[in-house]
């Protein structure tokens, strides 16, 4: 048995912030942001938490499939910005949706959270442990961005995407192969220094602005291109997929130059690369489901299409999934 995505939906907060917004309080320009990142605008959630974006996306996802929340038997929330460190955001989502007799958990693999969770959800369905999993990816990145630091304030946005994972009616389709990797050597380049057990919150950690994202952009940039391209290439090779037989590369959206360099390294033309960073910036765990939901909406996916989904994030975490598209007919 294989597992597949039978429905997918997204929620992005209505408030849009273009690059010019940052010019009033940071030493930056629309031109710099556009040229160095490809980002034009992003959405920030004014009030509320990550679950407040996930819940409407989850409702829409179930509605599209003609199911109600009670039909779900597990909830996974991929996020780096949970509502609280505990309780888990999956439980908050469960309560908001009014689902009973369900289990679930949160998963954090930084920008690879959704990719790692997609593999996990599919394997749980394949093994028969669960039949219908609500796989949620959401992040309120504005809650951990340092708006005084031009090196990262311009890079992220808020959003959520939710996919329903069910057994595929065609065993040749759905999740076909994957490679996931973690490498703690990356710890020093991208992290939130305080707030965990190593550096609990204190007046000092707040004064030192250690509850925000800290990153060395260039080191992350280089590792991201190599990481995503190399394992995606390997996945393609071992499954006999060529740039010609690939339909879509769906990469994590952190920087347009990272996306372009990754595709170039893999010999994949721009017409096969999903890009939406210009409208959302880096939404971390929401990026991949937002991309997929747009492709579905635009009718850009049909049964049998070869898709490579690829991600890279803090850790370093890195993942690549080979998915042969099949929605069991629910999204055709
Ligand atoms: O998914 C994982 C999450 N993170 C990433 O993937 C991020 C990966 N890295 C990147 O996307 C890029 O490295 C950045 C967009 C963060 C930076 O771009 P870059 O081309 O690597 O710039 P840089 O770090 O080499 O900085 C060049 C200059 C510096 O000024 P000086 O030292 O040359 O005077 C920066 O201070 O650009 C400056 N700079 C800015 N200038 C205007 C950095 N951010 C800004 C800004 N506006 N927003």
């Amino acid at each position: 048995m294989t597992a597949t995505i039978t429905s997918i939906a997204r929620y992005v907060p209505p408030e849009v912030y273009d690059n010019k917004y940052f010019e009033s309080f940071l030493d930056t320009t629309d031109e710099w942001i556009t040229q160095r990142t490809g980002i034009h605008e992003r959405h920030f959630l004014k009030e509320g938490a990550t679950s407040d974006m996930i819940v409407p996306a989850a409702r829409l996802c179930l509605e599209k499939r003609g199911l109600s929340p009670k039909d779900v038997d597990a909830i996974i929330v991929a996020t780096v910005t949970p509502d609280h460190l505990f309780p888990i955001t999956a439980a908050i989502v469960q309560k908001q949706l009014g689902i009973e007799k369900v289990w679930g958990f949160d998963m954090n693999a930084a920008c690879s959270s959704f990719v790692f969770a997609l593999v996990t959800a599919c394997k749980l369905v394949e093994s028969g442990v669960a039949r219908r999993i609500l796989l949620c990816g959401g992040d309120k990145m504005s809650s951990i961005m340092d708006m005084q630091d031009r090196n990262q304030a311009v890079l992220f946005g808020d959003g959520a995407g939710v996919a329903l994972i069910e057994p595929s009616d065609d065993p040749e389709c759905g999740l076909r192969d994957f490679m996931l990797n973690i490498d703690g050597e990356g710890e020093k380049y991208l992290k939130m220094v305080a707030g965990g057990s190593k550096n609990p919150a204190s007046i000092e950690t707040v004064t030192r602005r250690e509850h925000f994202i800290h990153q060395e952009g260039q080191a992350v940039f280089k590792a991201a291109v190599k990481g995503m391209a190399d394992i995606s290439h390997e996945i393609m090779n071992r499954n006999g997929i060529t740039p010609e037989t690939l339909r879509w590369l769906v990469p994590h959206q952190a920087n347009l130059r990272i996306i372009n360099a990754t595709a170039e390294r893999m010999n994949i033309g721009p017409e096969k690369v999903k890009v939406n960073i210009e409208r959302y910036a880096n939404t971390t765990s929401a990026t991949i489901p937002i991309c997929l939901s747009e492709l579905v909406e635009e009718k850009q996916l049909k049964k049998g299409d070869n898709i490579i989904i690829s991600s890279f994030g803090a850790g370093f975490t890195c993942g690549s999934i080979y998915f042969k598209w099949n929605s069991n007919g629910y999204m055709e």
Side-chain angles (χ1 to χ4, degrees), residues 28 32 36 111 150-151 215 217-218 252 254-255 257 312:
T28 189
W32 190 97
R36 304 309 291 167
C111 290
R150 69 177 185 175
N151 287 295
Q215 76 165 343
Q218 281 198 6
H252 180 57
N255 185 320
R257 290 183 297 132
F312 189 88

Side-chain angles (χ1 to χ4, degrees), residues 97-160:
L97 292 174
I99 311 180
E100 287 170 18
K101 292 191 183 145
V102 72
W103 69 291
F105 52 89
D106 291 2
M107 186 176 263
N108 179 351
C111 290
S112 297
S113 297
F114 189 85
V115 165
F116 282 30
L118 177 56
V119 171
T120 307
C122 286
K123 290 292 155 190
L124 287 170
V125 168
E126 276 178 30
S127 67
V129 167
R131 261 197 81 74
R132 286 196 186 112
I133 297 184
L134 209 46
L135 173 58
C136 316
D139 269 306
K140 185 182 176 186
M141 295 306 289
S142 57
S143 66
I144 56 169
M145 287 158 53
D146 186 347
M147 287 299 190
Q148 295 181 13
D149 176 11
R150 69 177 185 175
N151 287 295
Q152 41 101 356
V154 303
L155 301 178
F156 299 92
D158 301 340

Side-chain angles (χ1 to χ4, degrees), residues 67-322:
L67 295 173
S68 79
K70 70 173 171 18
D71 298 311
V72 169
D73 51 17
I75 301 170
I76 302 177
V77 172
T79 186
V80 303
T81 52
D83 286 20
H84 311 278
L85 268 183
F86 63 86
I88 56 172
T89 303
I92 293 165
V93 170
Q94 167 264 325
K95 185 171 169 242
Q96 296 286 334
L97 292 174
I99 311 180
E100 287 170 18
K101 292 191 183 145
V102 72
W103 69 291
F105 52 89
D106 291 2
M107 186 176 263
N108 179 351
C111 290
S112 297
S113 297
F114 189 85
V115 165
F116 282 30
L118 177 56
V119 171
T120 307
C122 286
K123 290 292 155 190
L124 287 170
V125 168
E126 276 178 30
S127 67
V129 167
R131 261 197 81 74
R132 286 196 186 112
I133 297 184
L134 209 46
L135 173 58
C136 316
D139 269 306
K140 185 182 176 186
M141 295 306 289
S142 57
S143 66
I144 56 169
M145 287 158 53
D146 186 347
M147 287 299 190
Q148 295 181 13
D149 176 11
R150 69 177 185 175
N151 287 295
Q152 41 101 356
V154 303
L155 301 178
F156 299 92
D158 301 340
V162 175
L164 189 67
I165 310 298
E166 294 185 84
S168 173
D169 63 11
D170 180 343
E172 297 301 311
C173 293
L175 175 84
R176 301 286 300 164
D177 198 6
F178 61 91
M179 281 177 73
L180 308 176
N181 194 43
I182 58 174
D183 177 8
E185 287 298 321
E187 183 195 357
K188 51 187 174 291
Y189 302 117
L190 184 51
K191 69 195 312 188
M192 185 188 289
V193 175
S197 55
K198 188 166 181 178
N199 300 301
S202 66
I203 289 171
E204 289 74 28
T205 62
V206 171
T207 308
R208 288 197 296 263
R209 310 186 75 74
E210 290 177 350
H211 295 270
F212 296 120
I213 301 161
H214 287 259
Q215 76 165 343
E216 286 182 35
Q218 281 198 6
V220 181
F221 189 110
K222 283 182 204 146
V225 174
K226 189 170 168 7
M228 288 207 290
D230 287 359
I231 62 167
S232 299
H233 205 235
E234 199 175 331
I235 282 274
M236 284 175 67
N237 277 346
R238 76 185 189 195
N239 288 282
I241 304 167
T242 62
E244 290 70 40
T245 59
L246 178 77
R247 179 65 191 93
W248 285 110
L249 172 67
V250 184
H252 180 57
Q253 314 271 315
N255 185 320
L256 183 61
R257 290 183 297 132
I258 295 181
I259 296 170
N260 290 342
T262 302
E264 207 169 292
R265 211 174 148 105
M266 293 170 67
N267 258 330
I268 295 173
E271 73 287 355
K272 293 190 172 186
V273 184
K274 172 65 186 171
V275 176
N276 63 15
I277 188 172
E278 71 283 358
R279 284 170 289 133
Y280 302 115
N282 181 354
T283 55
T284 305
S285 314
T287 296
I288 299 292
I290 289 176
C291 283
L292 290 175
S293 76
E294 285 194 341
L295 286 174
V296 166
E297 219 163 83
E298 293 157 3
K299 303 216 172 302
Q300 297 282 1
L301 285 171
K302 60 177 193 319
K303 187 174 176 187
D305 280 349
N306 291 320
I307 309 169
I308 298 289
I309 299 168
S310 193
S311 67
F312 189 88
F316 291 135
T317 59
C318 192
S320 188
I321 293 178
Y322 166 35

